Amino acid sequence: MAQVDRSFIGEGIINARAYQSQDALIDLGNCDTFNITYQETTTKLPNYRGGGGNRNSRSRVTDVGVSIGMYDLTPENIARATRAKVAEVATAAVTDQPLACAGVVGELIPFDSLPDLTAPVTLKTAADAALEAGTDYLLNPHGIIVLSTGNITSAGIKASYTPRGSSVIEMLAGSPVELEIFISGLNDAQSGEPYSLRVHRLKLGIVAQLPVLGQEYLKLEVPGEALADDRITGTDLSKFCKMELAG
C-alpha cells in the first residue's frame, strides 16, 4: 500500500480559561507559536558481568514545558505574561486633580489617568488661576507640555478632565496563572483538516523581556509548564495533554 502524506503545518486559535473553572474558553488572539517540550532523566544500571554496556535503564519525564507566542497585547495577556493585576479606570470626570511639576518649559506633566481629549480639559495653577491652552501649555494624549513658566511653577497645577476608558496593569503585583488550554487547530499542510490539542493544566511563567519600544511587532513569548492534572483518572489517559487528529 502506498504511503499517504501526513505532513503537518499547524495553525489555529488558542482558547483559555482558569484551571478548575467552568468559565468560557476565550480566544487569546493572534498567536504564531505553541510549543511543547519534554525533558527526561535516565538512571542506568551498568553491566558488571563483563562485556560493558548497561544491564538495565529507567527513564522518567521530569518536565513538560510549554511556550506561547502572543501578538495581541490585551490587558489580560500582558497580565498573564507579567504576573500582573488589572483594574479598569473609572471614567467619571475628575475635578482639580493636583499634579506636581518643576515648572520647566518643555516639561511633560502626565495626568494620573489618560485623558479623554474629546471631553473638556481645564487647568489651573495651585492658586486657582486659570491656565490657557496654547499659551501656558499644549495638551497631548498623556497630559500637557509646558509652554511657558510664567504661570506654571514648581507649586504645581490642578487638572479637571475626564479619563478615557483604559486598563491599568500592575506588573508583578499578582501570582502565577494556571490555565486550561484548548487549541482549535487546522492542518494547513492537509487542506485545513481540523485537529485539537488540550492542555489540562498549564502554569504560566513570566516573560524574559517586554520590548515596549522597537521597530517590529511586539510578541509576548510566554513560557510555562504543563502540570499533572489529578482530576484525570483512568487507564491510558494523559494527565498532561491530549491531541485529536482528523482521520
Side-chain angles (χ1 to χ4, degrees):
M1 184 174 66
Q3 173 64 42
V4 177
D5 171 38
R6 297 304 301 169
S7 53
F8 185 90
I9 300 175
E11 58 182 31
I13 297 173
I14 303 174
N15 305 279
R17 65 183 168 198
Y19 172 62
Q20 288 187 314
S21 79
Q22 295 299 315
D23 297 345
L25 283 165
I26 300 299
D27 179 0
L28 293 185
N30 191 28
C31 299
D32 70 334
T33 56
F34 188 94
N35 297 319
I36 301 176
T37 58
Y38 301 95
Q39 295 184 22
E40 67 175 4
T41 57
T42 302
T43 303
K44 299 180 179 181
L45 174 64
N47 176 21
Y48 298 110
R49 297 170 61 86
N54 293 317
R55 188 167 175 82
N56 205 342
S57 66
R58 179 177 70 92
S59 296
R60 179 177 179 273
V61 174
T62 54
D63 291 287
V64 182
V66 172
S67 62
I68 309 174
M70 302 180 185
Y71 279 100
D72 283 328
L73 267 69
T74 63
E76 293 78 14
N77 283 346
I78 297 174
R80 290 165 177 149
T82 61
R83 294 183 186 170
K85 290 187 176 180
V86 179
E88 300 303 313
V89 174
T91 56
V94 174
T95 302
D96 289 346
Q97 184 179 82
L99 299 172
C101 63
V104 176
V105 171
E107 176 184 6
L108 169 66
I109 306 177
F111 295 169
D112 284 357
S113 299
L114 298 174
D116 180 356
L117 299 184
T118 66
V121 176
T122 303
L123 297 182
K124 300 188 293 186
T125 67
D128 292 330
L131 294 172
E132 184 177 348
T135 300
D136 297 308
Y137 67 89
L138 177 67
L139 188 65
N140 80 4
H142 302 89
I144 64 166
I145 301 293
V146 177
L147 297 181
S148 170
T149 58
N151 293 316
I152 299 178
T153 68
S154 59
I157 63 172
K158 298 176 182 178
S160 298
Y161 65 99
T162 300
R164 66 179 299 173
S166 58
S167 301
V168 175
I169 304 162
E170 300 285 355
M171 299 181 189
L172 298 179
S175 303
V177 175
E178 290 193 9
L179 300 174
E180 176 186 349
I181 297 290
F182 184 91
I183 298 178
S184 47
L186 299 173
N187 183 356
D188 200 39
Q190 301 296 333
S191 302
E193 279 188 355
Y195 75 91
S196 67
L197 179 76
R198 187 186 294 269
V199 179
H200 303 300
R201 182 186 177 194
L202 172 60
K203 186 173 185 178
L204 292 181
I206 192 168
V207 291
Q209 62 175 353
L210 185 66
V212 293
L213 293 180
Q215 300 303 310
E216 302 293 336
Y217 291 109
L218 193 158
K219 179 169 75 168
L220 293 173
E221 298 185 79
V222 187
E225 182 179 6
L227 301 176
D229 184 355
D230 290 333
R231 299 177 303 169
I232 309 298
T233 59
T235 305
D236 299 330
L237 297 179
S238 172
K239 292 181 178 291
F240 298 91
C241 54
K242 69 176 181 179
M243 186 175 190
E244 184 174 352
L245 296 171

